[in-house]
Amino acid sequence: MSLQISDPASPVQSSRIRHSALQQKVTSAEEAVKAIGPGDTVAVSGFASAGTPKAVIPALADRIHAARAAGANFTIDLLTGASVSTETERMLTEIDGIALRMPYQAESTARQKINQGRMDYVDIHLSHVAQQVWEGYYGAVNVAVVEVSGITETGELIPSASVGNNKTWLDVAEKVILEVNSWVPDAMDGIHDIYYGTALPPHRRPIELTDVEDRIGQPHYRVDPAKVVAVVETNAPDSASALTAPDAVSEAIAAHVLDFFDHEVKCGRLPENTLLPLQAGIGNVANAVLGGLERGPYRGLTCYSEVIQDGMLHLIKHGTVRFASATALALSEAGIEELTSNIDFYRQHIRLRPQEISNHPEVVRRLGIIAMNGMLEADIYGNVNSTHVMGTKIMNGIGGSGDFARNGYLSMFLSPSTAKNGAISSIVPMTPHVDHTEHDTQVLVTEQGLADLRGLSPRRRARVIIERCAHPEFRPLLTDYIERATATAGAGQTPHLLGEAFSFHQRYLESGSMRV
């Protein structure tokens, strides 16, 4: 990655900075990070790698590393939109530069330190972040570091490839460092919809978004120029999101989902041809579902989600998807090349919004979103664990899955039926950590089949989940468990054998496998 960073004494190199006062604040990343001190709360741009600052964060890592090497206790509290680029997360984590992290992470070094208790981590619904920061849950935001693609003559900021919480960071931060990345195509201007109508209770007003394509805000961010302490010029691409071809398991899951859509259309619960707006998490299963849509009868679809992946670009290009709304792009290298090469076309079919709008429960409920999210495991009653391995070790975080699952028209959770080469069952008697209760889970899907849980009592749910979603090798164990639990005196509405409820997990911890 080649960065072009101006010398603090040199004239502005980029035509992207057209505001005269902010032109005077152009400096190097090394100079800019002097505005960040030990103990500061630093809010940075970035969502699923897109829009992560390219120069300031490495310079900050160098500053922290030098201070810690000299014996100083230099850490920051780090706030983001969701995950940032893996390199960014790692370089700050490896030097023990982060004291607290919020709201989502997806990097192995950070995950390890969180689980070791060496980094505090607050895992929250993405739709809640802006309000909690405005309310001061995390104290003052001392510095915001935000990537933009340009600055207008009037001082408005042209967003880059993600929006996330950037509007909030620019509003609440005491000081602002801007990175102007000239790698982002000029034609990206106009793809964003930055809404400034949110407020805290009791002053909230309805959000007038009734169609995925609606524009309710403005194309640019606002910022008080007096708060901007530095402007750093860069020219560097976003880190590409990893993408592998769908395997047989993800293809089988996708086939079950598509069959279910066909069934819902026949029953009159989904519109023919266009369905309802789709939301899908990140990963191979989501891409497989999206890919399968192209082979089906559906055309003119819409999507209202957090991220846009390669598969979505393909569907837009070939007319399967009419319009997609998100808060960020999560593209592979090929996807980045496709987008930048055809940005004039995609700008007509994509809208990027703040995550407080892309994930807003009111909007999700009104639009009737079909929510499809991954899970680590579900229990026999439909309680879902999205975040914790063996109930205690964080994986990534809840992200926006709860925003969509609780409020969507349809709430679907998808996963392979086993993990670790068959040693772990994704269907267990009881989940030791619950992110989504049985009340928020309508459909479970594995490669084994699909369990439609709507209208079913707990005991019927258990039978359907075991029969349709559990791997055949674990089905007898789960059946034995529910039969004995049901036969127990006083079994109740939701039968359990409390002494054995976590036996699958205990067996794995002791032997390395949930199998008997």
Side-chain angles (χ1 to χ4, degrees):
M1 181 181 294
S2 174
L3 297 180
Q4 296 176 1
I5 305 172
S6 64
D7 183 90
S10 68
V12 177
Q13 298 177 7
S14 173
S15 61
R16 302 291 185 94
I17 306 170
R18 302 194 293 273
H19 187 270
S20 57
L22 294 180
Q23 286 177 349
Q24 306 306 310
K25 298 183 180 183
V26 171
T27 188
S28 68
E30 291 73 19
E31 284 295 316
V33 297
K34 291 179 181 178
I36 301 173
D40 277 354
T41 296
V42 181
V44 306
S45 61
F47 195 110
S49 293
T52 303
K54 313 297 189 296
V56 173
I57 300 304
L60 175 60
D62 288 342
R63 174 170 161 77
I64 293 174
H65 180 66
R68 294 183 69 84
N73 182 20
F74 196 144
T75 62
I76 63 168
D77 290 349
L78 181 65
L79 314 182
T80 63
S83 58
V84 292
S85 71
T86 301
E87 303 90 340
T88 295
E89 193 95 54
R90 184 181 300 120
M91 68 176 63
L92 289 172
T93 304
E94 287 180 340
I95 59 172
D96 292 315
I98 303 174
L100 178 141
R101 181 77 173 85
M102 189 279 286
Y104 186 91
Q105 54 74 41
E107 195 276 320
S108 59
T109 308
R111 184 181 306 129
Q112 182 181 48
K113 294 199 175 184
I114 291 166
N115 287 321
Q116 291 171 345
R118 296 168 60 189
M119 182 195 303
D120 285 340
Y121 176 51
V122 183
D123 180 30
I124 64 173
H125 299 295
L126 295 188
S127 68
H128 291 180
V129 176
Q131 176 174 312
Q132 290 191 6
V133 171
W134 272 107
E135 294 281 17
Y137 287 22
Y138 305 92
V141 176
N142 304 109
V143 184
V145 184
V146 177
E147 179 187 271
V148 297
S149 65
I151 304 174
T152 71
E153 292 84 353
T154 58
E156 291 195 329
L157 310 177
I158 304 170
S160 62
S162 70
V163 177
N165 281 314
N166 296 349
K167 178 187 74 70
T168 298
W169 302 158
L170 293 165
D171 282 346
V172 303
E174 297 169 343
K175 294 179 285 188
V176 173
I177 298 172
L178 298 175
E179 272 200 25
V180 181
N181 187 358
S182 56
W183 171 83
V184 181
D186 278 316
M188 187 78 80
D189 190 2
I191 205 171
H192 310 88
D193 185 34
I194 312 304
Y195 181 65
Y196 278 92
T198 53
L200 297 174
H203 306 294
R204 281 204 175 120
R205 306 293 299 169
I207 296 171
E208 297 295 333
L209 202 161
T210 59
D211 186 273
V212 170
E213 198 170 348
D214 286 349
R215 179 180 286 279
I216 60 173
Q218 62 184 59
H220 303 148
Y221 304 125
R222 302 195 294 251
V223 68
D224 178 359
K227 294 201 303 184
V228 179
V229 296
V231 178
V232 176
E233 296 183 271
T234 64
N235 184 286
D238 282 321
S239 297
S241 296
L243 181 67
T244 57
D247 57 14
V249 170
S250 57
E251 291 281 12
I253 293 172
H256 295 314
V257 171
L258 296 170
D259 286 344
F260 175 71
F261 288 165
D262 293 343
H263 174 265
E264 291 298 286
V265 169
K266 290 176 182 177
C267 292
R269 290 190 285 259
L270 287 177
E272 191 174 357
N273 297 324
T274 60
L275 302 176
L276 285 170
L278 300 169
Q279 177 265 334
I282 298 176
N284 288 353
V285 173
N287 264 317
V289 173
L290 294 175
L293 289 169
E294 187 178 27
R295 299 187 292 272
Y298 307 110
R299 293 296 180 269
L301 299 172
T302 58
C303 297
Y304 194 86
S305 193
E306 296 170 315
V307 298
I308 290 173
Q309 298 188 91
D310 290 40
M312 185 66 67
L313 295 185
H314 183 82
L315 294 176
I316 292 172
K317 188 173 185 178
H318 292 85
T320 304
V321 168
R322 174 178 60 84
F323 204 88
S325 171
T327 193
L329 306 169
L331 304 173
S332 68
E333 289 186 6
I336 292 172
E337 173 63 27
E338 169 65 24
L339 178 81
T340 54
S341 299
N342 300 283
I343 186 62
D344 288 326
F345 167 76
Y346 287 112
R347 192 177 62 250
Q348 307 306 315
H349 300 276
I350 291 174
R351 192 89 73 225
L352 297 181
R353 313 178 189 273
Q355 71 189 60
E356 61 185 302
I357 301 300
S358 70
N359 290 55
H360 200 291
E362 176 195 358
V363 176
V364 171
R365 179 67 61 89
R366 182 186 305 117
L367 295 181
I369 305 298
I370 299 173
M372 297 178 287
N373 289 284
M375 65 179 186
L376 294 180
E377 61 184 358
D379 67 26
I380 56 177
Y381 296 110
N383 298 293
V384 170
N385 170 20
S386 297
T387 60
H388 284 70
V389 176
M390 297 296 125
T392 60
K393 291 183 170 60
I394 191 74
M395 179 57 72
N396 295 331
I398 194 169
S401 57
D403 299 324
F404 290 95
R406 182 70 187 273
N407 301 287
Y409 176 78
L410 275 172
S411 174
M412 308 175 71
F413 285 96
L414 293 63
S415 172
S417 64
T418 62
K420 294 287 185 182
N421 297 317
I424 293 177
S425 173
S426 66
I427 306 299
V428 295
M430 181 186 284
T431 56
H433 179 93
V434 178
D435 293 292
H436 314 280
T437 72
E438 60 187 284
H439 309 292
D440 301 331
T441 307
Q442 295 177 328
V443 178
L444 289 179
V445 193
T446 72
E447 82 282 3
Q448 301 298 322
L450 182 145
D452 184 353
L453 308 178
R454 295 172 297 176
L456 301 184
S457 66
R459 295 184 187 212
R460 292 181 64 196
R461 277 179 167 235
R463 297 291 183 181
V464 170
I465 291 172
I466 292 170
E467 291 170 6
R468 299 184 184 175
C469 293
H471 191 277
E473 189 164 354
F474 290 99
R475 222 171 274 159
L477 291 172
L478 293 163
T479 300
D480 174 69
Y481 176 87
I482 189 59
E483 286 180 348
R484 289 188 294 115
T486 303
T488 301
Q493 161 82 345
T494 308
H496 268 301
L497 300 171
L498 295 183
E500 298 182 32
F502 301 134
S503 58
F504 278 40
H505 301 85
Q506 190 63 40
R507 198 155 50 238
Y508 178 81
L509 293 174
E510 293 172 354
S511 68
S513 176
M514 288 184 175
R515 301 186 190 97
V516 173

